[in-house]
């Protein structure tokens, strides 16, 4: 009888062991799935920040804040090498330590990490010890992981995470942070183009208007506040003819046209000099069909301008008999010109490529006859 009881107990223990093992595996599977879902959500957060209307600087700071919050890291710092200097782009460390953190590339233990493009984990064993790069911050960090940042084998800088506890990263899954590092690199890649655009936007010398690059950076932030917007591009179609009379007269026509248009449109709309004799007006949040009458008014008022130079100037004439060119001085009241404008209007949808819409409009104007002066919808 005792033997039977023992056998039953043995089988019961084995069954419980198998059940517990199965339960453990299910829990592990659930935890792994949960981690994958969490990582996916965080990745989506990364991409949302990259595609937001924030400036480049604010995007990088938001990414760093997200890392600290979601991964519960004590300290996180992103340092970018701009070709000349190492600049801290984001950090939740007190600014009194930023100088030290911006010179980690000079620390021997990290030089090899940068050369080999591999992460470096360092920690202390006792509270009285300090990390190799620390100068006067002994109590702040006791362990750290240093990640060099590269895009297509081009060195960008580094990312360092720190903890106030010794050996805090001993058992951490470093593949998670490798993924985070790649996300940081992806964001830096995404904002790199935006940074270029933000830095090259300039004011046109003749008109005082923003250049076309404004539409791809700051301008797009305004435009994308609305689902759809009407974009109007126009060209001074007789500018070549005016330039043949006098280049100075052509420059004045461009200036006077921009002044007239600017004073007739709302400050809520965007007006830029796109390129040469081409200009762009963006009616943010307005349907393309709704701007036809307004554009007609702008066209009529601008084409009614009578423009001449304020002083005598030389023009070239060809003698019919000798067929030789000769300069003849004419008074300003003898030649007066009016601009002729050719318009094209299209609809821009939020989140799509505004540059593609503009290219299509530009192509339409460039292929149109130089004598054409009308309003087209495409």
């Amino acid at each position: 009888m005792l033997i039977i009881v023992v056998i039953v107990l043995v089988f019961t223990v084995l069954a419980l062991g198998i059940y517990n093992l199965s339960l453990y595996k299910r829990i592990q599977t659930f935890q792994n799935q949960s981690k994958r879902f969490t990582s996916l959500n965080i990745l989506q957060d990364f991409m949302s920040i990259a595609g937001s209307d924030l400036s480049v600087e604010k995007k990088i700071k938001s990414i760093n804040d997200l890392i600290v919050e979601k991964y519960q890291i004590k300290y996180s710092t992103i340092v970018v090498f701009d070709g000349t200097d190492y600049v801290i782009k984001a950090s939740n460390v007190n600014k009194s330590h930023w100088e030290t953190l911006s010179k980690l590339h000079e620390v021997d233990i990290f030089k090899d990490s940068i050369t080999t493009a591999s992460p470096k984990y360092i920690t202390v064993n006792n509270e009285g010890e300090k990390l190799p790069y620390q100068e006067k911050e002994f109590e702040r960090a006791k362990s750290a992981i240093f990640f060099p940042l590269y895009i297509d084998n081009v060195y960008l800088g580094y990312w360092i995470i720190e903890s106030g506890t010794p050996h805090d990263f001993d058992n951490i899954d470093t593949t998670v942070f490798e993924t985070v590092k790649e996300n940081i690199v992806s964001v830096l890649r995404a904002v790199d183009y935006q940074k270029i655009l933000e830095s090259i936007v300039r004011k046109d010398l003749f008109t005082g208007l923003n250049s076309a690059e404004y539409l791809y950076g700051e301008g797009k932030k305004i435009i994308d506040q609305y689902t759809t917007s009407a974009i109007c591009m126009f060209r001074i179609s007789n500018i070549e003819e005016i330039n043949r009379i006098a280049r100075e007269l052509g420059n004045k026509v461009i200036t006077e046209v921009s002044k007239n248009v600017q004073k007739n449109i709302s400050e809520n709309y965007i007006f830029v000099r796109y390129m040469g004799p081409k200009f762009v007006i963006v009616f943010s949040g307005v349907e393309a069909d709704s701007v036809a009458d307004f554009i007609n008014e702008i066209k009529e008022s601008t084409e009614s301008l009578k423009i001449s130079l304020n002083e005598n100037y030389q023009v070239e004439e060809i003698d019919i008999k000798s067929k030789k060119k000769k300069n003849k001085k004419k008074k300003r009241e003898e030649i007066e010109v009016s601009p002729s404008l050719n318009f094209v209007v299209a609809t821009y949808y939020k989140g799509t490529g505004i540059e593609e819409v503009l290219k299509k409009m530009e192509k339409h104007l460039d292929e149109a006859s130089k004598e054409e002066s009308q309003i087209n919808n495409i």
Side-chain angles (χ1 to χ4, degrees):
M1 185 70 178
L2 182 61
I3 295 175
I4 295 174
V5 171
V6 171
I7 293 173
V8 170
L9 288 173
V10 169
F11 276 106
T12 302
V13 169
L14 288 173
L16 287 172
I18 294 171
Y19 174 76
N20 287 337
L21 181 61
S22 174
L23 183 62
Y24 173 77
K25 288 182 178 180
R26 289 179 183 177
I27 292 173
Q28 287 294 104
T29 300
F30 175 79
Q31 288 178 337
N32 289 336
Q33 288 177 339
S34 178
K35 286 180 180 178
R36 281 197 291 270
F37 283 125
T38 301
S39 296
L40 180 60
N41 289 333
I42 295 173
L43 177 59
Q44 289 174 335
D45 290 337
F46 272 110
M47 293 303 101
S48 295
I49 292 171
S52 70
D53 292 336
L54 297 173
S55 67
V56 170
E57 304 298 326
K58 288 182 178 178
K59 281 182 180 180
I60 299 175
K61 185 181 183 304
S62 296
I63 287 294
N64 200 62
D65 291 342
L66 181 67
I67 292 169
V68 172
E69 177 190 351
K70 297 296 185 180
Y71 292 102
Q72 298 181 339
I73 295 172
K74 183 68 175 177
Y75 302 111
S76 176
T77 301
I78 299 173
V79 182
V80 173
F81 179 58
D82 64 6
T84 305
D85 301 308
Y86 282 80
V87 182
I88 292 182
K89 291 296 184 181
S91 179
N92 65 329
V93 178
N94 189 288
K95 286 192 175 182
S96 62
H97 305 306
W98 281 21
E99 185 177 356
T100 299
L101 291 171
S102 66
K103 295 180 179 179
L104 298 185
H105 59 285
E106 298 176 357
V107 179
D108 289 338
I109 200 168
F110 296 137
K111 286 181 180 178
D112 183 60
S113 177
I114 293 172
T115 303
T116 59
S118 57
K120 181 68 177 179
Y121 174 39
I122 56 175
T123 187
V124 299
N125 294 314
N126 303 307
E127 288 294 333
E129 296 180 56
K130 66 174 183 177
L131 296 174
Y133 60 88
Q134 292 178 316
E135 296 174 358
K136 53 184 178 182
E137 46 175 339
F138 307 148
E139 299 301 321
R140 187 180 64 81
K142 297 296 181 182
S143 53
I145 306 180
F146 178 92
F147 297 91
L149 302 176
Y150 282 84
I151 290 181
D152 298 331
N153 296 320
V154 177
Y155 175 61
L156 294 178
Y158 52 84
W159 168 48
I160 184 169
I161 57 174
E162 300 168 291
S163 169
T165 305
H167 295 280
D168 199 27
F169 299 128
D170 284 5
N171 300 314
I172 202 163
D173 184 3
T174 55
T175 58
V176 172
F177 288 110
E178 282 292 328
T179 302
V180 175
K181 184 194 74 172
E182 292 306 315
N183 288 333
I184 292 173
V185 169
S186 296
V187 171
L188 290 176
R189 183 198 297 269
V191 302
D192 188 50
Y193 179 59
Q194 179 186 342
K195 184 177 180 181
I196 293 171
L197 289 176
E198 289 178 356
S199 65
I200 64 176
V201 172
R202 54 183 171 75
K203 292 285 186 179
D204 177 61
L205 293 176
F206 287 109
T207 63
L209 299 174
N210 284 319
S211 60
E213 290 80 13
Y214 179 81
L215 295 172
Y216 310 124
E218 290 299 315
K220 196 169 188 296
K221 296 177 186 178
I222 299 171
I223 301 166
D224 279 353
Q225 293 176 13
Y226 305 91
T227 304
T228 60
S229 296
I231 298 184
C232 167
M233 182 183 289
F234 68 88
R235 184 183 189 280
I236 304 173
S237 54
N238 62 338
I239 192 68
E240 289 85 2
E241 179 184 337
I242 295 170
N243 282 337
R244 280 195 291 271
I245 298 172
R247 174 67 66 174
E248 293 83 358
L249 185 58
N251 291 340
K252 187 171 182 182
V253 166
I254 287 174
T255 302
E256 293 302 315
V257 166
S258 66
K259 284 180 181 178
N260 187 68
V261 173
Q262 197 164 20
K263 74 179 183 181
N264 283 291
I265 63 173
S266 167
E267 293 181 355
N268 297 326
Y269 301 143
I270 296 171
F271 182 38
V272 302
R273 185 177 182 185
Y274 185 72
M275 188 181 298
K278 291 189 281 286
F279 297 80
V280 170
I281 309 171
V282 181
F283 301 93
S284 305
V286 180
E287 296 290 335
D289 295 339
S290 305
V291 301
D293 292 339
F294 183 64
I295 292 175
N296 263 315
E297 292 175 8
I298 290 177
K299 179 176 169 62
E300 289 176 8
S301 69
T302 306
E303 291 184 337
S304 66
L305 295 173
K306 302 297 181 183
I307 304 170
S308 63
L309 293 175
N310 295 324
E311 57 186 17
N312 296 343
Y313 56 91
Q314 299 286 340
V315 295
E316 279 188 351
E317 288 187 351
I318 299 178
D319 186 273
I320 298 175
K321 293 181 179 179
S322 63
K323 294 184 179 181
K324 291 182 179 180
K325 292 181 181 180
K326 60 180 180 179
N327 290 327
K328 182 178 180 182
K329 183 175 286 188
K330 291 195 174 184
K331 295 181 180 179
R332 62 182 178 84
E333 61 265 20
E334 291 182 358
I335 293 185
E336 201 173 53
V337 298
S338 295
S340 178
L341 308 183
N342 196 18
F343 284 80
V344 62
V345 183
T347 299
Y348 166 74
Y349 297 91
K350 176 181 178 180
T352 59
I354 192 170
E355 64 279 1
E356 295 302 322
V357 178
L358 293 170
K359 284 179 183 177
K360 185 177 180 181
M361 300 174 80
E362 184 180 23
K363 184 173 184 289
H364 178 89
L365 289 176
D366 287 343
E367 292 179 352
S369 169
K370 293 295 185 288
E371 288 73 39
E372 185 175 317
S373 176
Q374 56 188 39
I375 300 172
N376 293 291
N377 285 278
I378 59 173

